[in-house]
Amino acid sequence: MVMVPHNYTTLWGKRIGYMGYIPAEINVSNFIESYRNIGYSIETAISDIIDNSIAAKASEIQINMILHDEKTCSPRIMILDNGFGMDNEELIQAMHLACHSPLEKRNPEDLGRFGLGLKSASFSQCKLLTVISRKKGCITCAKAWDIDHVRNYGKLEIEDCPVSEYEDLLPYETGTVVIWDRIDRVNLSPKDSEQKNKEHWNLIRNKIYNHIAITYGAFKENISFFFNGNQIRLWDPFCLDKEETILLADEYIAIGNDRIRVRPYILPLGIDETEGSQRELGKTLNDMQGFYIYRNNRLILYGTWLGLPKLSNKEAYRLARIKIDIGNSMDELWQIDIKKENAVCPPSITDRLLSYANKARQESSNKFRKRGKTLQRKSNSQYEPSYLWTYGINKDKKPYFEINRKNPVIKGFIDTLDSKQHENFLFLLKCFENYLPIMSILEQETLSDEKYFTNEASDISDKEIKLLFTETINQEIKNGVNRNKALQKCLQTEPFSQYPHLFIDEYKEAFPS
């Protein structure tokens, strides 16, 4: 056997050259600019700072945003906490880039991972980062990173700041203040009017407020969050304060020495369509169904089916939300990124999660199917339910389905048509009935992995249902029906009979207790 020295490489047994090490110099100015472009949004950047405050055992966290700071004459953002703070050496260490390895074992409650959060999040939004901290029994200390200084001198240097200039900004006995000055990544322009910049700043503030309310909802019993002096109302996506919320299971999936906790919830039927959605950046309840991934109680990902096979959003499943709790020891397994806003489901637990998802979706759909029955039983209406489709037996003694021409919604529409439109519409209904793809429906029912088959081709919004209800009531009254009778009749009519929760508050007299 021929022994080849470690500093040689061979090709088919022949020595082809010396392999040494070449120093790789770093262009500091280019590096810091690339470092600033990791991809944080302003709300995820602020969350990274908040994570450090939570790790420092803070019970109070403040976020203050100022469009025109008197001292700097520019926007300023400050994140303050009353955590245990840092002494001078600890602050210097915290200001170093990559001060912790993602591979080292950490406190199970630690929300960080790479030791980059404070710097990468801050640099992504501002050119001047200042941190002031005070630890029990220690003097206040202050350090800063100035991006312009790094660019101009090509050196990665931390500035030792005069504490007297900043000490008054920390109102707590112990704690930390993170200050962002020379903010340059929020699209404010001196060319725009003051009013336009103010409106844009307010949009940014709302986005940050909403993000904090969503991300840290699980901490509402232990931490108070304040935004420009006002306490943030943290959001609970599982409506645990409502008695009607159902917990289907509380189970664990073991992976090595770690465990994943899975808790599927079914939300109440009567939940307001706008509840929470204003904080969810305009998303509807239908958008929010699916898995909610929490890492040490901090929300990472929400309103997703994680790309699991044959799972997609449908109106009947909008009550299903599944909470998944993981620890920081699973970061690599779930591929948690530096911004802590993405996660990938480990293939080893896909089948288990798929099973939980299908069960929750089934329960949500069952709840929708039953939602009209309870309230209908309370009604004293003299009218029989009026369905959109009716079932019968034709002259050849074969079963068939047809659209119910006597349904008030159908009849009300027909009454608005002229004779030619009336004739054409009835012909169109016959086409729908005679060419209903019965065999294809049966085939899909057989092939579907779901326990039932639905025909939710498109969403029907609550607003559309209410508008149609009002129009149908008005048409009944126009046809000479007493308003109270028209009301009771329409409440027994499909599709309205499937949405009693939309009408019970406005028409309580139709739902006697």
Side-chain angles (χ1 to χ4, degrees):
M1 178 181 293
V2 178
M3 300 298 294
V4 180
H6 74 277
N7 56 349
Y8 285 87
T9 187
T10 61
L11 181 64
W12 296 295
K14 296 180 180 179
R15 189 179 74 181
I16 60 173
Y18 177 77
M19 297 294 290
Y21 292 95
I22 301 171
E25 300 293 337
I26 183 172
N27 184 306
V28 172
S29 297
N30 292 343
F31 165 75
I32 204 68
E33 191 58 37
S34 298
Y35 191 66
R36 299 191 71 201
N37 289 280
I38 292 178
Y40 281 94
S41 62
I42 190 167
E43 62 269 22
T44 57
I46 287 178
S47 289
D48 235 341
I49 308 302
I50 292 174
D51 289 346
N52 292 334
S53 297
I54 294 174
K57 301 297 183 183
S59 62
E60 186 171 300
I61 299 172
Q62 299 185 44
I63 299 91
N64 295 327
M65 296 180 62
I66 306 167
L67 180 56
H68 294 292
D69 180 66
E70 293 181 0
K71 184 176 181 180
T72 64
C73 298
S74 66
R76 166 177 276 193
I77 295 177
M78 297 192 297
I79 301 99
L80 306 82
D81 69 61
N82 66 344
F84 49 62
M86 294 173 279
D87 62 25
N88 192 63
E89 291 303 316
E90 288 170 334
L91 179 55
I92 292 173
Q93 178 66 20
M95 295 291 274
H96 278 101
L97 305 182
C99 56
H100 298 290
S101 167
L103 302 178
E104 69 183 32
K105 189 173 182 179
R106 288 161 294 140
N107 185 310
E109 298 180 3
D110 187 4
L111 293 177
R113 183 183 181 194
F114 294 91
L116 293 170
L118 170 63
K119 288 76 63 177
S120 59
S122 300
F123 294 169
S124 74
Q125 304 300 319
C126 72
K127 292 183 179 180
L128 178 59
L129 161 67
T130 307
V131 182
I132 306 99
S133 197
R134 184 185 300 138
K135 188 175 182 178
K136 187 174 182 179
C138 301
I139 61 172
T140 304
C141 49
K143 302 290 181 284
W145 273 102
D146 188 330
I147 298 299
D148 289 335
H149 173 86
V150 173
R151 285 173 176 162
N152 293 336
Y153 293 93
K155 295 180 179 181
L156 294 173
E157 295 179 326
I158 302 167
E159 180 182 354
D160 191 10
C161 303
V163 174
S164 58
E165 293 185 18
Y166 301 100
E167 194 164 16
D168 291 343
L169 296 177
L170 184 55
Y172 306 112
E173 183 179 347
T174 65
T176 299
V177 183
V178 174
I179 304 174
W180 293 351
D181 286 315
R182 302 212 297 270
I183 296 170
D184 64 338
R185 297 296 178 91
V186 293
N187 297 323
L188 295 173
S189 172
K191 296 180 181 180
D192 292 330
S193 67
E194 182 179 348
Q195 180 61 29
K196 187 172 182 179
N197 278 329
K198 186 176 180 180
E199 290 173 357
H200 182 64
W201 185 252
N202 287 336
L203 289 175
I204 295 170
R205 287 171 51 177
N206 290 338
K207 185 182 292 187
I208 293 169
Y209 181 102
N210 296 337
H211 185 77
I212 294 171
I214 293 170
T215 304
Y216 299 100
F219 292 94
K220 65 180 181 179
E221 300 299 327
N222 304 313
I223 303 175
S224 297
F225 292 82
F226 292 87
F227 192 89
N228 281 5
N230 298 313
Q231 187 163 0
I232 297 175
R233 185 185 174 198
L234 300 180
W235 176 67
D236 168 24
F238 309 106
C239 300
L240 299 181
D241 60 334
K242 299 185 182 297
E243 293 183 1
E244 299 89 347
T245 296
I246 300 171
L247 171 61
L248 296 182
D250 191 349
E251 300 187 23
Y252 292 88
I253 301 175
I255 299 183
N257 295 325
D258 296 313
R259 296 194 305 173
I260 298 171
R261 189 178 190 180
V262 182
R263 284 175 284 184
Y265 291 95
I266 306 301
L267 272 56
L269 257 177
I271 184 173
D272 187 351
E273 179 69 35
T274 62
E275 184 169 346
S277 60
Q278 290 182 356
R279 299 188 191 90
E280 297 155 0
L281 308 181
K283 294 186 178 182
T284 66
L285 291 174
N286 196 41
D287 297 325
M288 303 304 292
Q289 62 187 263
F291 291 103
Y292 286 64
I293 313 298
Y294 286 81
R295 174 182 177 270
N296 289 353
N297 288 325
R298 194 255 208 215
L299 188 60
I300 301 292
L301 199 60
Y302 64 95
T304 172
W305 291 112
L306 293 173
L308 296 183
K310 299 183 180 179
L311 298 186
S312 61
N313 283 11
K314 290 188 177 181
E315 184 71 15
Y317 306 144
R318 71 177 187 173
L319 303 179
R321 296 182 181 178
I322 305 171
K323 185 177 184 182
I324 297 180
D325 289 297
I326 65 174
N328 58 21
S329 59
M330 295 187 180
D331 285 355
E332 189 171 354
L333 179 68
W334 282 84
Q335 299 180 41
I336 305 296
D337 68 348
I338 187 174
K339 295 169 289 182
K340 288 168 279 189
E341 62 176 358
N342 284 304
V344 178
C345 178
S348 60
I349 65 170
T350 296
D351 290 343
R352 293 284 297 276
L353 293 187
L354 189 60
S355 174
Y356 291 125
N358 283 329
K359 174 62 176 174
R361 286 154 66 94
Q362 175 74 51
E363 291 296 328
S364 175
S365 184
N366 288 345
K367 204 164 188 178
F368 269 100
R369 285 180 164 185
K370 298 173 183 176
R371 66 179 169 180
K373 296 180 180 178
T374 301
L375 290 176
Q376 286 169 2
R377 282 196 294 270
K378 293 180 179 179
S379 175
N380 59 1
S381 173
Q382 59 180 307
Y383 298 97
E384 290 295 322
S386 181
Y387 302 105
L388 286 169
W389 288 85
T390 60
Y391 172 83
I393 303 294
N394 68 11
K395 60 183 179 180
D396 296 324
K397 297 184 178 181
K398 292 182 179 180
Y400 69 92
F401 285 92
E402 69 176 0
I403 296 173
N404 182 12
R405 275 76 167 165
K406 295 181 180 180
N407 179 286
V409 176
I410 303 296
K411 185 177 182 303
F413 177 72
I414 291 175
D415 289 343
T416 65
L417 305 176
D418 60 34
S419 59
K420 184 61 177 177
Q421 291 171 330
H422 187 185
E423 180 182 342
N424 289 341
F425 181 68
L426 292 180
F427 174 73
L428 186 62
L429 293 185
K430 289 181 181 179
C431 290
F432 290 150
E433 294 163 344
N434 288 322
Y435 293 95
L436 184 68
I438 296 292
M439 296 310 297
S440 294
I441 292 172
L442 293 174
E443 180 183 6
Q444 289 296 326
E445 178 75 21
T446 302
L447 295 176
S448 176
D449 289 335
E450 305 281 356
K451 295 183 179 178
Y452 56 89
F453 187 72
T454 62
N455 192 36
E456 295 159 347
S458 59
D459 292 338
I460 301 177
S461 70
D462 292 350
K463 183 178 180 181
E464 289 172 316
I465 290 292
K466 288 181 177 180
L467 180 61
L468 183 59
F469 184 80
T470 300
E471 292 176 350
T472 306
I473 289 288
N474 291 338
Q475 187 61 42
E476 286 288 307
I477 294 173
K478 186 177 180 180
N479 291 337
V481 180
N482 174 276
R483 182 184 182 278
N484 186 54
K485 291 182 178 180
L487 173 61
Q488 293 194 28
K489 182 178 180 180
C490 287
L491 288 171
Q492 294 293 96
T493 296
E494 271 189 341
F496 313 126
S497 60
Q498 300 302 308
Y499 298 83
H501 61 286
L502 298 181
F503 310 109
I504 188 170
D505 289 335
E506 188 172 354
Y507 305 105
K508 292 181 180 179
E509 67 273 18
F511 301 98
S513 57

